[in-house]
Amino acid sequence: MPTVVLMDVSLSMTRPVQLDGTEEFQRKNLAVHGLTMLFEHMATNYRLEFTALVAFSSLWELMVPFTRDYNTLQEALNNLEDYDKTCLEPALQGVSNIVQQEWGSTCPCQVVLVTDGSLGIGRGSLRHSLSTIKHRSEDKKFPLPFPFPAKLYIMCIANAEELQNSDTLDNLEQLLSLNGGEGQIFTVEGPLCLKNVQSLFGKLIDQAYTPFHAVLRCGNLSSDVQVFPRPEPVIMDEEVDPAPRTILTDLEIVGFIEIGDISSPPVLSRHLVLPIAVNKGFLGPTFMGTGTTDETEEENSANQMAGKSPNFCVLLHGSLKVEGMVALVQLGPEWYGMLYSQADSKKKSNLMMSLFEPGPEPLPWLGKVSQLGPTSDAKENPYGEDDSKSPFPLQPKSKRSYAQNVTVWIKPSGLQTDVQKILRNARKLPEKTQTFYKELNRLRKAALAFGFWDLLKGVADLLERECTLLPDTAHPDAAFQLSHAAQQLKLASTGDSQYAAFDHNITPMLTDFSGSGSSDRDRM
Amino acid sequence: MKMFSISHKTAFVVDHCPYMAESCRQQVEFDMLTKNRPQGVIPLAPVSKSLWTCAVECSMEYCRILYDIYPTRKLVNFIVSDSEFHILNSWNQADQSTQELMAALAAVGPPNPHEDPECCSILHGLMAAVESLCKITEYQHEARTTLMDKADRVSNRGRIICITNAKSDTHVRMLEDYVQETIQEQNKLAISSDRLMQIQQCELVLIHTYPFGEETLVSDRPKKEEEQHANTSANYDVELLHHRDAHMEFIKSGDLHPAGSTSRDSGLKETVTLKWCTPRTNSVELHFCTGAYRISPVDVNSRPSSCLTNFLLNGRSVLLEQPRKSGSKVISHMLSSHGGEIFLHVLNCTRSTLEDPPSISEGCGGRVTDYRITDFGEFMRENRLTPFPDVQGSEVAGKVPLERAKRQLERHTRYWPMIISQTTIFNMQAVVPLASLIVKESLTEEDVLTCQKTIYNLVDMERKNDPLPISTVGTRGKGPKRDEQYRIMWNELETLVRTHMGSSERHQRVLDCVLACRSKPPEEEDRKKRGRKREDREDKGEKNGKDSESERSWQESERLKAALERDREELAEAEVIKDSPDSPEPLNKKPRLEVEDVQPAEKAKGPVSLLTMWTNRINTANSRKHQEFAGRVNSVNNKAELYQHLKDENGMDPHENGKAMR
């Protein structure tokens, strides 16, 4: 989940903060202090997160595009200048554009808005934006809700008491509700000082940037892992099942499936599964993060130690890659995902986890996951002794319309094609007796269901005419079959229950000419 | 998303009054010219469909598409109305098929044009539809039962699609009012019943039919859930219907209506044109796919449609590319069939937040190179999953297939060393029969016999002094000597079998066999000789079968020959064990003291241990770097006599006890 930090650099941020004795601070200094703490946390524990920095006043500017280089972010943060007034709406529009340009509109994002809570006066103020929200034309819509799933965290460098004097909190809450309630407003508890700002950002870190640690198990084999980005809670049906579902910290592998069998399944999200060294605790995964060069030697040697002791993730990854398989993993009650090897380039590859939609049957072609069991329980190996077979995909109970011979006559061409098929076969009687009657019966059934009795009469006439047009060389059986079929259709077109029963089939007439007629009938 | 939205229940009410027997006045030519036709034959007069036929065809087409795209959970109840109502099917999933409905419709037949129109009314059908919407479906029932006290969360909504001939606007309002009133009445009745639910929301779709042509009917068909999606290629287009979510990214990005694009049927259907894309894909490739939706061709029997669907049903996939506002194109979708159902897969085509991740080789365990990749691959294949039929009562007694799969994984991993240098037995072909059987939940008599044979075979190998694939990775020298190798192997085998001894009495018998057959630990004698304190074996009393008695003498002589190498071998073995946390605890760890016990190089006539060589080399190198301490230089047997000058002064020979200076 990429992060956009939206930093208020309006003049009001330069207001001094009363501190006892010590040097004077601006609110901006406090905000920078808090963000520094956030960036430091991310650099150590959340290194793979992409973060962008946007500064805004009456205008907005993308200071640092999405990056994992927290030094660059920090540098830009330290060099922010002061500008004029606060105009939040264009800044939020800017954030919306930046995110969509980079990640499209399906990637969930986090927006961290840092402000002192003075949201402007008159035109361009948040209050003004919100009051005009219902009278916008299509091209000037308020940027919230964002087109992508977004969490909006509002960090107020102000305490609740001072904000209560204005309608700031009301406006911010309205902003949150415009975002579908996704996010939170944080205010400083107690007087404005470095310590309280630290605890303010500490709350944000706890809320949004704690790494997700879990244990990946396969029977008795296991590994401590970090799952990145951390999986967010999922709500399946806000009505029947409104409680958000979170994945377990105990990820249990339940079995394995070939990639061809799982067949590019739809997933909610993808995550890296990074093995972590247990003794390192919350220091995070032991890989060298991209763009970080300031690792201490101590850390490096610890990494090397961890690199040398066997880890289950590496074994699993290697075998999944070689075998072309995925591991099915249980994420919670009736919730599953898959682990597989994902190659970024020829050299680099990784253990990846994709989450399926929660539910007992996330993929129709696998069936109910709880009904998947060990092959050793089956009477015969479903994969065959030489791995030539597969029990997947599961066949649905009924066939789809395109997989069966349905009759659709909405367009005249559909009807014409079906009539011509009968005619074609009629001209090749008695060789095509079987197909002739098959097509005839298909047409008959559809005509009866649609109440299209006139068609039955029409086709009967058609067959009678064909009978008269038979060449002298024609097999004598052909004439008998044609007039028999025509007669049967005519009887059906009366709606007489004896002849118009849906399940009744017209069978070939028994003739003395050859065995073909009777043998065909046996097959019908 | 809501599980029980309006589209969960759709009641079709089709007018069967005499009026519907009228012709729609659109003629269908069915006697088409064919090339073989003799000259001068006058074609037969075209036929014309009745309003009823049009109505039935359309509703059947609706059902066909519905069942293709939503084979479950979207239910249809078909009702026909004339002088009374006829309910053709139920909400049951089993009744949801076009074949069933076609058979029922055939039984109803076309309306009787001679029936008294005064007796007939669509109201009978509408009332039946409202009553039907109150009836609980299997899915609603299941959800209510599962939720227990929160059963009221399950809602009841529905849609009535009524195909009739409306005489006037007043008539339409009358129908609307009638439905409204009936809902209120039925809702009152529903309160007191378990099988009925109150209707919370009902959408009424009235389709007015009149003789002009089927066109009206077709385009009025409500398609709230589906949208058009055309697949263009140089040769032909296939229009497909599917869930609108398949174009979420497209719609949001504003690419849906680029300049010059046409939206068919004035907004009723949204059409996205995707192009067949030449790069082939195979099923072994795992695409990042964010959604998969069933499709249904608009014109199911047309040649292009069946061409495409057959291509897909034969197991091939088609990648589709999407035009963008900028004019560029991107592969956005994939058509693929699974088990006879075709799905439109939505592929992720935006930048990934997981790009440039650290390679797994850079992380924990990434530097280890001798993972048992092939063995674990074999393990994965043995633990592949397969579907089992859902039998009632399978929840009891741990028979749920998935739970059994987990239990199998547990059994198979009780002893599973991850790297080659951690194991001996899994590198031995001879152990395979036992290793693959012992993990089973239960053993047959025959299995036990096979295990025993495996063990006897190992005993035989030991007697013949066959080499074992003991890893020398991380060890010094050539690795442990033969009998030590066997001791390690037997220890490991015992560990493996021991983890399964509780499974059954037969598993226990295999363990008994291992304990009876494994060679007596050679160090038992040494232990007495050397007087070192060692851990006692648990199974000390149990073993010593006849076999091992006879081996004793052989082992003794072998041991003597190797006496010189003893120390470094023990050392080497300790190294192997130390590296492998999963290996059995070494039974005879020696104190580290032994390192200092290194024999002087000149004394070892046989092979010199690496440690000795290294120590000597280091000592030599070091000695060159500094002037040797005079006392050590003058020492004899590392003992230097102090205050020698005192002796000198006493006229003693200064070199009496020492070596000559270099």
Side-chain angles (χ1 to χ4, degrees):
Chain A
M1 266 219 287
T3 294
V4 183
V5 173
L6 183 57
M7 173 77 173
D8 186 345
V9 289
S10 66
L11 218 50
S12 64
M13 286 291 281
T14 62
R15 281 182 292 161
V17 177
Q18 299 300 318
L19 285 179
D20 308 328
T22 55
E23 61 178 307
E24 197 175 80
F25 277 109
Q26 293 176 358
R27 283 175 199 251
K28 186 179 138 193
N29 301 135
L30 292 177
V32 168
H33 180 72
L35 282 173
T36 304
M37 178 178 155
L38 177 66
F39 288 162
E40 275 171 6
H41 170 83
M42 285 160 106
T44 9
N45 301 311
Y46 227 67
R47 264 177 222 173
L48 293 176
E49 177 86 345
F50 280 100
T51 301
L53 179 64
V54 176
F56 78 102
S57 54
S58 63
L59 301 171
W60 62 270
E61 187 183 348
L62 176 60
M63 307 304 290
V64 183
F66 286 99
T67 180
R68 286 171 176 158
D69 183 352
Y70 285 92
N71 292 333
T72 311
L73 283 162
Q74 185 63 50
E75 206 173 307
L77 185 66
N78 293 338
N79 295 321
L80 286 178
E81 285 174 36
D82 305 321
Y83 296 91
D84 56 346
K85 59 176 185 171
T86 313
C87 291
L88 196 52
E89 185 178 337
L92 289 171
Q93 187 60 55
V95 168
S96 179
N97 296 347
I98 291 166
V99 170
Q100 282 189 87
Q101 231 162 50
E102 197 76 49
W103 312 105
S105 54
T106 46
C107 175
C109 282
Q110 321 203 69
V111 179
V112 179
L113 167 63
V114 185
T115 174
D116 59 344
S118 312
L119 300 165
I121 330 161
R123 281 185 80 84
S125 69
L126 181 62
R127 189 189 301 116
H128 182 258
S129 290
L130 293 173
S131 65
T132 57
I133 206 157
K134 289 193 178 109
H135 322 286
R136 307 289 188 99
S137 59
E138 193 61 27
D139 54 333
K140 280 184 183 152
K141 273 172 102 180
F142 192 71
L144 257 57
F146 290 119
F148 44 88
K151 291 228 162 74
L152 179 61
Y153 296 110
I154 304 172
M155 313 302 293
C156 294
I157 310 298
N159 52 41
E161 292 78 58
E162 57 179 314
L163 292 174
Q164 259 154 16
N165 300 330
S166 66
D167 57 354
T168 299
L169 280 178
D170 291 341
N171 287 332
L172 290 178
E173 262 156 31
Q174 209 181 329
L175 204 59
L176 264 196
S177 71
L178 278 174
N179 196 41
E182 291 289 335
Q184 204 173 326
I185 301 168
F186 296 91
T187 54
V188 177
E189 274 173 32
L192 285 182
C193 63
L194 290 176
K195 190 169 145 271
N196 288 341
V197 166
Q198 271 175 20
S199 84
L200 175 76
F201 278 82
K203 274 184 254 169
L204 171 68
I205 289 170
D206 287 348
Q207 175 79 25
Y209 296 100
T210 41
F212 185 89
H213 292 263
V215 180
L216 177 64
R217 282 180 211 288
C218 176
N220 293 297
L221 298 168
S222 71
S223 169
D224 289 270
V225 295
Q226 181 187 345
V227 178
F228 182 91
R230 62 175 209 190
E232 295 299 319
V234 177
I235 296 177
M236 282 317 291
D237 181 328
E238 69 265 32
E239 214 167 64
V240 177
D241 195 7
R245 305 179 64 160
T246 45
I247 79 166
L248 297 173
T249 51
D250 209 50
L251 303 170
E252 191 178 10
I253 290 175
V254 295
F256 301 87
I257 294 178
E258 313 263 350
I259 284 183
D261 288 340
I262 201 106
S263 198
S264 297
V267 300
L268 288 178
S269 55
R270 287 193 312 171
H271 308 265
L272 285 167
V273 177
L274 306 158
I276 49 173
V278 200
N279 54 357
K280 286 200 81 189
F282 272 65
L283 281 176
T286 55
F287 57 81
M288 344 281 219
T290 0
T292 50
T293 47
D294 56 343
E295 280 192 299
T296 62
E297 260 179 49
E298 200 179 309
E299 217 175 315
N300 272 328
S301 72
N303 288 346
Q304 277 167 14
M305 285 290 284
K308 280 177 186 164
S309 59
N311 189 292
F312 171 62
C313 282
V314 186
L315 171 69
L316 176 70
H317 169 266
S319 300
L320 289 175
K321 188 176 183 175
V322 170
E323 299 288 335
M325 291 175 98
V326 306
L328 212 59
V329 60
Q330 181 145 22
L331 309 169
E334 295 199 326
W335 195 7
Y336 306 91
M338 61 172 179
L339 290 160
Y340 52 97
S341 160
Q342 171 82 24
D344 193 49
S345 60
K346 269 186 185 164
K347 277 186 181 169
K348 278 190 173 181
S349 70
N350 254 290
L351 189 61
M352 194 84 105
M353 179 165 74
S354 287
L355 314 189
F356 299 144
E357 218 168 67
E361 197 184 328
L363 308 175
W365 49 95
L366 289 194
K368 268 192 183 169
V369 178
S370 62
Q371 289 305 119
L372 299 178
T375 45
S376 57
D377 275 7
K379 284 191 190 80
E380 248 175 69
N381 186 350
Y383 289 92
E385 290 314 314
D386 52 350
D387 255 4
S388 57
K389 293 191 290 182
S390 169
F392 301 108
L394 228 58
Q395 300 291 326
K397 283 189 190 107
S398 56
K399 280 186 170 181
R400 302 292 152 250
S401 70
Y402 44 81
Q404 51 179 329
N405 210 355
V406 291
T407 313
V408 180
W409 292 335
I410 289 181
K411 285 185 183 170
S413 61
L415 176 61
Q416 287 155 359
T417 314
D418 285 348
V419 173
Q420 275 177 25
K421 258 188 222 163
I422 293 172
L423 268 186
R424 251 199 327 274
N425 287 296
R427 287 175 190 150
K428 289 176 188 159
L429 286 171
E431 291 79 25
K432 293 282 183 181
T433 307
Q434 202 194 351
T435 343
F436 171 74
Y437 279 99
K438 196 182 133 206
E439 289 298 329
L440 193 73
N441 280 313
R442 191 164 78 86
L443 176 124
R444 177 186 170 276
K445 273 194 163 61
L448 288 173
F450 298 153
F452 201 178
W453 294 353
D454 283 354
L455 179 72
L456 295 175
K457 284 191 209 102
V459 174
D461 291 344
L462 199 66
L463 294 179
E464 276 175 352
R465 190 194 63 201
E466 283 303 311
C467 198
T468 64
L469 293 174
L470 282 172
D472 298 339
T473 52
H475 193 284
D477 200 24
F480 279 98
Q481 298 300 350
L482 284 174
S483 48
H484 166 70
Q487 190 203 2
Q488 290 292 313
L489 285 184
K490 280 213 169 120
L491 285 169
S493 73
T494 60
D496 187 322
S497 60
Q498 198 190 331
Y499 302 100
F502 186 75
D503 291 326
H504 175 77
N505 274 318
I506 304 175
T507 52
M509 191 188 195
L510 264 177
T511 60
D512 300 331
F513 297 103
S514 70
S516 70
S518 56
S519 67
D520 260 334
R521 190 192 48 181
D522 292 343
R523 268 177 263 149
M524 305 277 305
Chain B
M1 204 183 81
K2 284 179 186 143
M3 204 183 287
F4 299 109
S5 65
I6 265 187
S7 58
H8 179 56
K9 287 166 148 177
T10 302
F12 261 100
V13 182
V14 182
D15 199 339
H16 195 246
C17 297
Y19 174 83
M20 295 294 283
E22 263 190 48
S23 160
C24 74
R25 291 184 214 154
Q26 281 260 311
Q27 297 192 323
V28 186
E29 206 70 61
F30 72 99
D31 186 15
M32 304 296 286
L33 289 166
T34 52
K35 29 182 180 170
N36 301 338
R37 183 187 298 275
Q39 295 284 312
V41 176
I42 305 151
L44 292 172
V47 284
S48 163
K49 291 175 186 173
S50 65
L51 289 177
W52 165 257
T53 299
C54 293
V56 168
E57 274 190 320
C58 286
S59 40
M60 279 302 102
E61 181 70 352
Y62 184 100
C63 293
R64 175 187 75 77
I65 293 166
L66 182 78
Y67 295 146
D68 272 358
I69 303 177
Y70 308 105
T72 58
R73 294 193 164 272
K74 304 258 187 257
L75 309 170
V76 166
N77 192 210
F78 210 99
I79 298 160
V80 168
S81 184
D82 43 41
S83 61
E84 53 183 346
F85 61 81
H86 312 267
I87 301 180
L88 304 191
N89 69 338
S90 76
W91 294 124
N92 291 347
Q93 187 65 58
D95 276 5
Q96 303 296 313
S97 91
T98 44
Q99 284 97 325
E100 296 281 323
L101 290 173
M102 298 262 279
L105 281 166
V108 170
N112 178 1
H114 310 299
E115 204 172 351
D116 180 6
E118 294 304 310
C119 301
C120 296
S121 169
I122 192 70
L123 296 181
H124 301 299
L126 286 173
M127 188 182 75
V130 173
E131 277 180 14
S132 182
L133 288 179
C134 284
K135 286 183 192 152
I136 194 166
T137 67
E138 293 163 316
Y139 296 107
Q140 287 175 321
H141 179 67
E142 196 196 328
R144 293 216 313 185
T145 320
T146 329
L147 288 172
M148 305 280 282
D149 51 326
K150 292 166 201 141
D152 55 324
R153 281 190 197 156
V154 179
S155 47
N156 190 37
R157 305 184 182 92
R159 175 183 288 142
I160 298 173
I161 300 177
C162 175
I163 307 180
T164 183
N165 176 268
K167 286 161 190 72
S168 62
D169 285 352
T170 329
H171 186 210
V172 170
R173 267 194 298 283
M174 187 275 284
L175 294 178
E176 287 168 358
D177 292 346
Y178 180 78
V179 171
Q180 181 96 46
E181 282 162 29
T182 317
I183 290 174
Q184 281 161 5
E185 278 167 33
Q186 291 299 321
N187 276 354
K188 279 180 204 154
L189 291 174
I191 299 176
S192 52
S193 167
D194 271 356
R195 283 280 152 194
L196 298 177
M197 289 177 82
Q198 291 197 307
I199 300 169
Q200 284 149 337
Q201 196 186 351
C202 178
E203 188 180 285
L204 177 65
V205 182
L206 282 175
I207 298 174
H208 171 54
T209 58
Y210 53 96
F212 182 76
E214 72 212 71
E215 226 60 25
T216 323
L217 283 171
V218 180
S219 57
D220 274 359
R221 193 150 38 89
K223 287 202 283 189
K224 292 253 154 68
E225 297 292 332
E226 304 101 39
E227 78 172 56
Q228 216 86 0
H229 157 88
N231 163 18
T232 324
S233 86
N235 303 317
Y236 56 76
D237 286 8
V238 179
E239 241 181 305
L240 304 174
L241 295 166
H242 58 79
H243 195 282
R244 64 152 89 232
D245 278 359
H247 290 309
M248 244 4 199
E249 174 75 21
F250 198 58
I251 294 163
K252 281 182 174 174
S253 64
D255 281 339
L256 188 57
H257 298 294
S261 81
T262 51
S263 181
R264 290 175 50 114
D265 291 22
S266 58
L268 248 175
K269 310 180 258 185
E270 300 278 20
T271 308
V272 175
T273 305
L274 303 178
K275 199 164 178 283
W276 180 302
C277 183
T278 19
R280 290 276 169 85
T281 176
N282 58 33
S283 60
V284 195
E285 207 173 333
L286 204 56
H287 293 275
F288 177 23
C289 161
T290 54
Y293 304 94
R294 291 182 178 87
I295 60 103
S296 185
V298 172
D299 195 355
V300 64
N301 285 339
S302 78
R303 197 156 260 270
S305 293
S306 54
C307 229
L308 175 68
T309 51
N310 286 331
F311 183 80
L312 295 166
L313 290 173
N314 284 334
R316 279 185 280 187
S317 301
V318 176
L319 290 171
L320 301 172
E321 38 171 53
Q322 187 173 67
R324 286 196 155 168
K325 253 191 290 195
S326 58
S328 63
K329 280 173 181 170
V330 63
I331 294 177
S332 59
H333 294 81
M334 177 177 74
L335 282 166
S336 188
S337 77
H338 311 285
E341 288 187 285
I342 300 173
F343 289 81
L344 182 69
H345 290 250
V346 184
L347 305 180
N348 183 64
C349 45
T350 51
R351 184 181 168 193
S352 163
T353 53
L354 295 179
E355 68 182 30
D356 196 20
S359 174
I360 192 140
S361 59
E362 293 165 38
C364 290
R367 306 279 292 277
V368 180
T369 51
D370 65 335
Y371 284 106
R372 294 172 56 204
I373 300 286
T374 316
D375 289 350
F376 198 74
E378 185 58 38
F379 165 90
M380 294 195 312
R381 254 180 279 128
E382 277 166 17
N383 284 285
R384 270 183 298 193
L385 296 167
T386 191
F388 287 89
D390 200 348
V391 190
Q392 282 295 310
S394 65
E395 301 82 26
V396 293
K399 279 181 186 158
V400 176
L402 196 70
E403 293 306 318
R404 295 195 40 79
K406 290 184 200 169
R407 294 222 309 248
Q408 177 169 308
L409 284 173
E410 190 280 320
R411 285 200 311 277
H412 282 218
T413 53
R414 283 189 193 162
Y415 176 67
W416 215 97
M418 289 195 281
I419 55 175
I420 295 166
S421 54
Q422 261 175 6
T423 180
T424 304
I425 55 170
F426 292 112
N427 300 331
M428 293 168 65
Q429 201 55 42
V431 183
V432 169
L434 182 145
S436 55
L437 284 172
I438 199 75
V439 294
K440 280 170 65 177
E441 191 176 29
S442 60
L443 298 177
T444 62
E445 240 356 273
E446 203 185 327
D447 291 339
V448 175
L449 215 62
T450 312
C451 290
Q452 286 169 341
K453 274 185 197 159
T454 309
I455 297 163
Y456 296 150
N457 186 28
L458 293 173
V459 171
D460 211 38
M461 283 172 67
E462 185 169 13
R463 187 182 297 135
K464 285 191 276 181
N465 203 20
D466 286 349
L468 290 182
I470 296 258
S471 168
T472 52
V473 176
T475 63
R476 292 160 196 176
K478 285 178 186 165
K481 216 182 56 62
R482 201 57 52 81
D483 63 338
E484 284 298 330
Q485 292 181 355
Y486 273 92
R487 196 178 54 77
I488 294 166
M489 186 278 289
W490 284 116
N491 277 349
E492 204 189 356
L493 189 68
E494 188 185 322
T495 306
L496 169 69
V497 177
R498 208 172 264 285
T499 58
H500 294 278
M501 68 177 183
S503 299
S504 74
E505 179 266 334
R506 285 179 177 138
H507 285 86
Q508 178 66 47
R509 272 167 54 201
V510 177
L511 178 64
D512 293 345
C513 180
V514 173
L515 295 178
C517 292
R518 65 167 297 174
S519 55
K520 198 175 179 184
E523 62 277 16
E524 213 170 32
E525 259 71 25
D526 296 345
R527 205 186 298 153
K528 286 173 198 156
K529 282 182 203 158
R530 298 187 191 178
R532 284 200 188 102
K533 194 188 165 196
R534 283 183 173 170
E535 279 177 69
D536 247 4
R537 302 183 67 95
E538 306 157 70
D539 53 327
K540 199 171 158 189
E542 295 175 49
K543 51 175 179 54
N544 273 335
K546 292 159 210 154
D547 290 329
S548 52
E549 269 319 334
S550 57
E551 281 175 272
R552 185 69 59 78
S553 54
W554 172 80
Q555 283 178 351
E556 282 296 343
S557 62
E558 191 69 7
R559 197 175 299 116
L560 283 169
K561 263 196 267 170
L564 285 174
E565 286 175 292
R566 170 70 59 217
D567 287 339
R568 74 169 162 78
E569 276 167 13
E570 297 266 340
L571 197 64
E573 188 230 336
E575 284 295 325
V576 179
I577 305 290
K578 189 162 67 73
D579 275 351
S580 41
D582 284 345
S583 294
E585 186 67 11
L587 296 174
N588 48 351
K589 258 189 191 152
K590 290 192 173 184
R592 288 296 269 177
L593 273 176
E594 301 235 331
V595 182
E596 285 133 52
D597 255 21
V598 180
Q599 314 244 351
E602 52 270 35
K603 201 181 165 187
K605 294 278 187 310
V608 177
S609 84
L610 195 60
L611 177 64
T612 316
M613 283 164 67
W614 181 251
T615 315
N616 290 342
R617 199 181 111 87
I618 292 295
N619 287 345
T620 320
N622 285 346
S623 66
R624 287 195 198 117
K625 287 182 190 154
H626 62 90
Q627 184 135 32
E628 186 55 284
F629 175 51
R632 191 175 290 146
V633 172
N634 295 330
S635 67
V636 174
N637 291 333
N638 267 343
K639 283 176 193 163
E641 197 170 336
L642 299 176
Y643 309 113
Q644 289 186 10
H645 62 281
L646 293 177
K647 287 184 183 173
D648 281 353
E649 279 168 16
N650 295 339
M652 300 278 283
D653 182 1
H655 294 159
E656 190 189 54
N657 292 325
K659 286 179 182 170
M661 295 279 277
R662 225 187 264 174

